Tab-separated table of all heavy atoms in Angstrom:
chain	number	residue	atom	x	y	z
A	1	LYS	N	0.813	-1.213	0.000
A	1	LYS	CA	0.000	0.000	0.000
A	1	LYS	C	0.851	1.270	0.000
A	1	LYS	O	0.480	2.281	-0.617
A	1	LYS	CB	-0.944	-0.018	1.202
A	1	LYS	CG	-1.996	1.069	1.153
A	1	LYS	CD	-2.984	0.913	2.311
A	1	LYS	CE	-4.004	2.039	2.311
A	1	LYS	NZ	-4.962	1.928	3.423
A	2	GLU	N	1.987	1.237	0.664
A	2	GLU	CA	2.847	2.430	0.702
A	2	GLU	C	3.315	2.810	-0.701
A	2	GLU	O	3.458	3.988	-1.028
A	2	GLU	CB	4.059	2.188	1.629
A	2	GLU	CG	3.706	2.174	3.106
A	2	GLU	CD	2.940	3.415	3.529
A	2	GLU	OE1	3.385	4.539	3.197
A	2	GLU	OE2	1.889	3.284	4.175
A	3	GLU	N	3.551	1.791	-1.546
A	3	GLU	CA	3.974	2.054	-2.930
A	3	GLU	C	2.850	2.674	-3.745
A	3	GLU	O	3.072	3.592	-4.538
A	3	GLU	CB	4.443	0.754	-3.603
A	3	GLU	CG	5.796	0.262	-3.133
A	3	GLU	CD	6.924	1.207	-3.546
A	3	GLU	OE1	6.762	1.965	-4.520
A	3	GLU	OE2	7.967	1.202	-2.864
A	4	THR	N	1.628	2.153	-3.577
A	4	THR	CA	0.511	2.712	-4.344
A	4	THR	C	0.197	4.134	-3.879
A	4	THR	O	-0.207	4.982	-4.678
A	4	THR	CB	-0.752	1.821	-4.237
A	4	THR	OG1	-1.086	1.601	-2.866
A	4	THR	CG2	-0.524	0.485	-4.921
A	5	LYS	N	0.418	4.419	-2.603
A	5	LYS	CA	0.233	5.780	-2.111
A	5	LYS	C	1.271	6.717	-2.732
A	5	LYS	O	0.967	7.862	-3.087
A	5	LYS	CB	0.336	5.822	-0.583
A	5	LYS	CG	-0.918	5.328	0.133
A	5	LYS	CD	-0.907	5.740	1.597
A	5	LYS	CE	-2.275	5.504	2.227
A	5	LYS	NZ	-2.396	6.128	3.548
A	6	LYS	N	2.501	6.216	-2.877
A	6	LYS	CA	3.557	7.015	-3.510
A	6	LYS	C	3.213	7.287	-4.972
A	6	LYS	O	3.495	8.364	-5.502
A	6	LYS	CB	4.897	6.283	-3.416
A	6	LYS	CG	5.546	6.315	-2.049
A	6	LYS	CD	6.868	5.548	-2.065
A	6	LYS	CE	7.470	5.465	-0.673
A	6	LYS	NZ	8.712	4.654	-0.676
A	7	MET	N	2.631	6.288	-5.644
A	7	MET	CA	2.228	6.462	-7.042
A	7	MET	C	1.219	7.589	-7.178
A	7	MET	O	1.319	8.436	-8.062
A	7	MET	CB	1.605	5.168	-7.583
A	7	MET	CG	2.576	4.076	-7.908
A	7	MET	SD	1.704	2.653	-8.609
A	7	MET	CE	2.931	1.382	-8.377
A	8	LEU	N	0.218	7.581	-6.289
A	8	LEU	CA	-0.818	8.613	-6.340
A	8	LEU	C	-0.213	9.997	-6.094
A	8	LEU	O	-0.551	10.961	-6.782
A	8	LEU	CB	-1.913	8.312	-5.324
A	8	LEU	CG	-2.780	7.083	-5.627
A	8	LEU	CD1	-3.739	6.806	-4.484
A	8	LEU	CD2	-3.557	7.289	-6.918
A	9	ALA	N	0.677	10.078	-5.117
A	9	ALA	CA	1.343	11.351	-4.842
A	9	ALA	C	2.188	11.768	-6.046
A	9	ALA	O	2.261	12.951	-6.391
A	9	ALA	CB	2.208	11.226	-3.593
A	10	GLY	N	2.795	10.783	-6.701
A	10	GLY	CA	3.657	11.045	-7.853
A	10	GLY	C	2.923	11.622	-9.054
A	10	GLY	O	3.516	12.346	-9.859
A	11	ILE	N	1.633	11.321	-9.185
A	11	ILE	CA	0.870	11.864	-10.317
A	11	ILE	C	0.125	13.140	-9.933
A	11	ILE	O	-0.610	13.706	-10.742
A	11	ILE	CB	-0.139	10.833	-10.880
A	11	ILE	CG1	-1.196	10.471	-9.833
A	11	ILE	CG2	0.579	9.595	-11.387
A	11	ILE	CD1	-2.346	9.639	-10.380
A	12	GLY	N	0.315	13.579	-8.674
A	12	GLY	CA	-0.320	14.816	-8.244
A	12	GLY	C	-1.678	14.618	-7.604
A	12	GLY	O	-2.464	15.560	-7.487
A	13	ALA	N	-1.970	13.384	-7.186
A	13	ALA	CA	-3.251	13.102	-6.532
A	13	ALA	C	-3.033	12.963	-5.032
A	13	ALA	O	-1.911	12.756	-4.566
A	13	ALA	CB	-3.861	11.810	-7.084
A	14	ASN	N	-4.109	13.056	-4.276
A	14	ASN	CA	-4.046	12.861	-2.838
A	14	ASN	C	-3.791	11.372	-2.573
A	14	ASN	O	-4.417	10.506	-3.188
A	14	ASN	CB	-5.374	13.299	-2.212
A	14	ASN	CG	-5.279	13.448	-0.704
A	14	ASN	OD1	-4.758	12.572	-0.016
A	14	ASN	ND2	-5.787	14.547	-0.191
A	15	SER	N	-2.913	11.050	-1.681
A	15	SER	CA	-2.560	9.653	-1.441
A	15	SER	C	-3.709	8.832	-0.862
A	15	SER	O	-3.706	7.601	-0.962
A	15	SER	CB	-1.337	9.557	-0.509
A	15	SER	OG	-1.624	10.154	0.741
A	16	ASP	N	-4.699	9.500	-0.264
A	16	ASP	CA	-5.848	8.749	0.249
A	16	ASP	C	-7.110	9.019	-0.589
A	16	ASP	O	-8.239	8.874	-0.125
A	16	ASP	CB	-6.097	9.047	1.730
A	16	ASP	CG	-6.345	10.528	2.000
A	16	ASP	OD1	-6.355	11.317	1.043
A	16	ASP	OD2	-6.542	10.889	3.183
A	17	ALA	N	-6.911	9.395	-1.845
A	17	ALA	CA	-8.027	9.668	-2.757
A	17	ALA	C	-8.817	8.401	-3.052
A	17	ALA	O	-8.298	7.278	-2.968
A	17	ALA	CB	-7.502	10.254	-4.063
A	18	ARG	N	-10.075	8.591	-3.389
A	18	ARG	CA	-10.921	7.496	-3.858
A	18	ARG	C	-11.001	7.568	-5.376
A	18	ARG	O	-10.672	8.599	-5.977
A	18	ARG	CB	-12.317	7.581	-3.232
A	18	ARG	CG	-12.286	7.494	-1.716
A	18	ARG	CD	-13.680	7.511	-1.119
A	18	ARG	NE	-13.630	7.615	0.335
A	18	ARG	CZ	-13.429	6.601	1.162
A	18	ARG	NH1	-13.273	5.381	0.669
A	18	ARG	NH2	-13.395	6.775	2.462
A	19	ALA	N	-11.451	6.482	-5.992
A	19	ALA	CA	-11.458	6.399	-7.445
A	19	ALA	C	-12.217	7.556	-8.097
A	19	ALA	O	-11.800	8.084	-9.132
A	19	ALA	CB	-12.065	5.064	-7.883
A	20	GLU	N	-13.329	7.979	-7.491
A	20	GLU	CA	-14.160	9.023	-8.103
A	20	GLU	C	-13.532	10.415	-8.037
A	20	GLU	O	-14.030	11.360	-8.657
A	20	GLU	CB	-15.552	9.060	-7.447
A	20	GLU	CG	-15.548	9.311	-5.962
A	20	GLU	CD	-15.583	8.033	-5.129
A	20	GLU	OE1	-15.058	7.000	-5.615
A	20	GLU	OE2	-16.140	8.057	-4.014
A	21	ASN	N	-12.404	10.544	-7.286
A	21	ASN	CA	-11.738	11.843	-7.153
A	21	ASN	C	-10.767	12.148	-8.294
A	21	ASN	O	-10.380	13.299	-8.489
A	21	ASN	CB	-10.955	11.910	-5.836
A	21	ASN	CG	-11.829	11.744	-4.609
A	21	ASN	OD1	-11.495	11.003	-3.693
A	21	ASN	ND2	-12.965	12.418	-4.578
A	22	LEU	N	-10.348	11.124	-9.038
A	22	LEU	CA	-9.319	11.312	-10.058
A	22	LEU	C	-9.909	11.674	-11.421
A	22	LEU	O	-10.895	11.085	-11.857
A	22	LEU	CB	-8.467	10.051	-10.214
A	22	LEU	CG	-7.173	9.993	-9.387
A	22	LEU	CD1	-7.494	9.986	-7.908
A	22	LEU	CD2	-6.345	8.776	-9.777
A	23	SER	N	-9.284	12.642	-12.084
A	23	SER	CA	-9.693	13.028	-13.434
A	23	SER	C	-9.160	12.004	-14.437
A	23	SER	O	-8.293	11.176	-14.113
A	23	SER	CB	-9.130	14.404	-13.783
A	23	SER	OG	-7.702	14.332	-13.858
A	24	LEU	N	-9.664	12.069	-15.647
A	24	LEU	CA	-9.189	11.175	-16.708
A	24	LEU	C	-7.682	11.312	-16.909
A	24	LEU	O	-6.969	10.316	-17.051
A	24	LEU	CB	-9.918	11.490	-18.021
A	24	LEU	CG	-9.406	10.744	-19.264
A	24	LEU	CD1	-9.657	9.248	-19.141
A	24	LEU	CD2	-10.071	11.292	-20.520
């Protein structure tokens, strides 16, 4: 999970974001 959180942060998203929060 720590890696997937880093991925989200790496693309400019919140690390605890839900699927519906991300743009295309």
Side-chain angles (χ1 to χ4, degrees):
K1 190 175 177 181
E2 287 307 311
E3 286 293 337
T4 54
K5 282 195 168 192
K6 285 180 185 177
M7 284 183 198
L8 291 174
I11 63 171
N14 194 312
S15 61
D16 58 2
R18 300 183 188 278
E20 59 266 30
N21 299 134
L22 266 64
S23 66
L24 173 66

